[in-house]
Amino acid sequence: MKWTIFFDLDETLIDTSERHYTVYTDILDLYGIQNTLSKEEFWNQKRIGRKTVELLPKTSSKEFVQKFMDEWLKRIEDIRYLKYDSLLQESLHILSILEDKANLMLVTLRNNKENLFWELDNFGLNKYFKKILVGSPLKLKNKAPLIKNYIEKHFKNNFIIIGDTEADISAGKELGIVSIAVTYGLRTKKFLTKLKPNFYLDTLSKLPEILK
């Protein structure tokens, strides 16, 4: 029986770190606030679980934090910023290996579906997935609601969810399916260990070995 694999997108198949950092610094520039974090410092803080607003200057007022959050939502999925994303090197190769051996699904949290599909098409990812499940990060704490209906209709299948954050691993736990945490993404392995996934991947190229 084929595996059905629910792939996360951001930091599992594509690198979004440049986009996140650029939006962060552009908003600070907009309000004339000096950025004191390098990209590496910014991303390292994100990887241990800190939210973007927690990385604002300590002197930031509540009013500015709200303005920052509003501006972030306007910009983070705008195509001019999506162009900063890059395809992770092994993504297309691994998907091409797996597409005939497993049912590949994409499950992601994005607010702008139109721009999401533009990005998937831009990277040539669309063709590998039988279904693309999209939910709003403003409404969902994890991806379980997106996956649940599909699992209930195909209950005889074997299911895996693979991703880099608590939104992926907690969904797997909630639904009772195999979860694979990638440790090269938005969260460190130390952070992910607390969530107790079934497997860890430090590179996507090792996924076919787990599926044997």
Side-chain angles (χ1 to χ4, degrees):
M1 185 180 295
K2 283 186 176 181
W3 284 101
T4 294
I5 306 174
F6 296 97
F7 273 93
D8 171 48
L9 177 63
D10 297 343
E11 307 313 322
T12 299
L13 299 174
I14 65 174
D15 180 356
T16 70
S17 60
E18 190 67 33
R19 167 163 56 101
H20 281 248
Y21 184 65
T22 301
V23 173
Y24 174 80
T25 57
D26 281 0
I27 298 173
L28 291 183
D29 287 345
L30 176 67
Y31 288 99
I33 296 175
Q34 183 178 2
N35 171 40
T36 60
L37 295 177
S38 68
K39 180 189 170 185
E40 182 179 8
E41 290 169 332
F42 172 83
W43 201 243
N44 284 342
Q45 290 297 307
K46 294 278 287 181
R47 295 199 76 220
I48 62 174
R50 294 191 69 188
K51 297 178 181 179
T52 303
V53 293
E54 294 174 345
L55 303 181
L56 294 174
K58 293 180 180 180
T59 55
S60 299
S61 64
K62 289 183 179 180
E63 182 183 7
F64 171 70
V65 171
Q66 186 59 55
K67 287 180 179 179
F68 179 92
M69 292 172 64
D70 292 342
E71 197 65 36
W72 179 271
L73 290 174
K74 290 178 185 176
R75 295 179 184 231
I76 194 61
E77 294 182 31
D78 190 295
I79 286 178
R80 62 184 168 139
Y81 287 106
L82 291 178
K83 290 178 180 179
Y84 285 97
D85 289 352
S86 59
L87 189 66
L88 289 171
Q89 188 173 5
E90 299 169 328
S91 296
L92 294 183
H93 176 62
I94 294 302
L95 292 174
S96 66
I97 290 174
L98 295 178
E99 64 175 329
D100 293 327
K101 300 177 181 179
N103 301 312
L104 304 184
M105 312 289 173
L106 186 71
V107 56
T108 187
L109 298 179
R110 292 280 188 99
N111 288 309
N112 191 318
K113 289 186 180 181
E114 182 179 350
N115 289 359
L116 166 66
F117 281 94
W118 172 88
E119 184 165 38
L120 294 176
D121 186 59
N122 186 51
F123 286 132
L125 289 167
N126 270 333
K127 63 182 180 180
Y128 294 106
F129 297 105
K130 294 187 176 180
K131 209 168 194 59
I132 296 173
L133 307 174
V134 188
S136 169
L138 301 177
K139 298 177 180 178
L140 300 176
K141 68 174 184 177
N142 69 26
K143 299 173 181 177
L146 299 175
I147 300 171
K148 185 177 180 181
N149 288 340
Y150 184 90
I151 288 180
E152 289 176 347
K153 292 177 182 177
H154 303 82
F155 64 93
K156 293 183 179 180
N157 291 17
N158 295 316
F159 300 103
I160 293 175
I161 183 168
I162 175 170
D164 67 312
T165 73
E166 54 273 29
D168 306 294
I169 308 309
S170 64
K173 292 293 183 182
E174 185 176 328
L175 296 169
I177 66 176
V178 175
S179 59
I180 301 178
V182 301
T183 60
Y184 54 81
L186 184 60
R187 300 290 187 250
T188 63
K189 185 174 183 178
K190 183 178 180 180
F191 183 98
L192 294 166
T193 299
K194 300 173 186 176
L195 306 174
K196 299 181 179 180
N198 297 98
F199 299 96
Y200 300 93
L201 280 180
D202 58 10
T203 172
L204 199 59
S205 62
K206 295 180 181 178
L207 179 58
E209 297 177 22
I210 291 178
L211 299 178
K212 288 181 180 179

